[in-house]
Amino acid sequence: MNSLPLYHYQSYVAGFSGWLRTLGYAPDTCRKYPRQLREFLHFLEETGIVDLSSVDGAVVECFFTYLQSRPSIKTGKSLSTTHLLSMQKTLRQFTRYLDALGLPGFALPRLRLQGLAAQSLEVFSQAEIDGLYAACGTDFYGLRDQALLALGYGCGLRRAEVSQLEVSDLHFKKGWLEVKAGKGAKARSVPMPT
């Protein structure tokens, strides 16, 4: 999707990408959201819409109808539920970006993505969790890995959140840790497992 040409909206993609980085979004998000935005903006240009003030709910619905009929570049099958929901998030963030800059934006309609079943999450069993801890070992590195597991799994942290923790973020006496770079650049306090 990065190769889709843009003639009228190129500066929006670059600005949106920089805005996400400034807010501290994860590197994967800073790559994915602008790429998905590029597909939306390319769709607008292909349909003759060269001004965001012309975008309304009907246009956005047409875009999602198009997505539901477009095959995946990787698999050749229909796009996944996850991809379509991610595209919704991208457009929601893009409207926030426009609003933050005081630029005219567009309203997103409440979309019902037809034919999409909710995907269930796979959760580790207690035996699988015990196996992960047992695999760590008891030497220095094993204890370090156990601590990382406890922080990640026990506190429900994302991979990027664990990697950005500092020792000063751990408050042992109070029994909580401070996540300064959470999803959406939001900080939060999390109780530590005992």
Side-chain angles (χ1 to χ4, degrees):
M1 292 302 150
N2 285 334
S3 62
L4 291 174
L6 289 177
Y7 304 102
H8 301 279
Y9 296 115
Q10 188 65 38
S11 63
Y12 286 103
V13 176
F16 182 56
S17 180
W19 182 72
L20 292 170
R21 284 192 308 275
T22 300
L23 291 179
Y25 278 84
D28 286 345
T29 303
C30 291
R31 283 187 296 274
K32 181 172 79 171
Y33 281 13
R35 186 179 64 237
Q36 290 181 329
L37 176 63
R38 177 178 286 279
E39 182 173 9
F40 174 67
L41 297 174
H42 178 75
F43 172 84
L44 295 181
E45 288 186 352
E46 288 289 302
T47 55
I49 299 171
V50 294
D51 185 353
L52 287 179
S53 64
S54 301
V55 176
D56 59 14
V59 171
V60 176
E61 286 180 18
C62 285
F63 174 65
F64 277 91
T65 300
Y66 155 74
L67 286 179
Q68 288 179 349
S69 66
R70 177 178 80 73
S72 166
I73 293 170
K74 290 181 183 177
T75 65
K77 298 178 183 177
S78 297
L79 294 175
S80 69
T81 304
T82 304
H83 181 81
L84 296 172
L85 293 174
S86 178
M87 186 63 81
Q88 281 184 321
K89 287 181 187 177
T90 295
L91 294 183
R92 195 175 308 119
Q93 283 303 106
F94 181 60
T95 60
R96 288 181 184 144
Y97 162 72
L98 294 172
D99 186 54
L101 294 180
L103 297 172
F106 52 90
L108 290 174
R110 204 153 192 62
L111 297 171
R112 288 201 173 96
L113 301 175
Q114 297 177 353
L116 301 177
Q119 296 176 335
S120 62
L121 295 175
E122 288 187 38
V123 180
F124 288 144
S125 68
Q126 185 63 48
E128 291 170 321
I129 296 297
D130 292 342
L132 284 172
Y133 279 99
C136 291
T138 56
D139 64 351
F140 172 80
Y141 295 108
L143 294 175
R144 177 204 62 191
D145 294 345
Q146 286 182 35
L148 289 172
L149 276 173
L151 285 173
Y153 189 76
C155 296
L157 300 183
R158 294 169 179 87
R159 179 184 61 214
E161 292 171 341
V162 171
S163 69
Q164 294 178 20
L165 282 176
E166 301 286 336
V167 173
S168 61
D169 297 334
L170 303 169
H171 303 278
F172 292 105
K173 289 183 181 177
K174 295 178 182 176
W176 57 272
L177 64 93
E178 188 177 357
V179 180
K180 295 178 184 170
K183 187 171 184 176
K186 294 179 183 173
R188 69 183 192 281
S189 296
V190 179
M192 285 193 285
T194 55

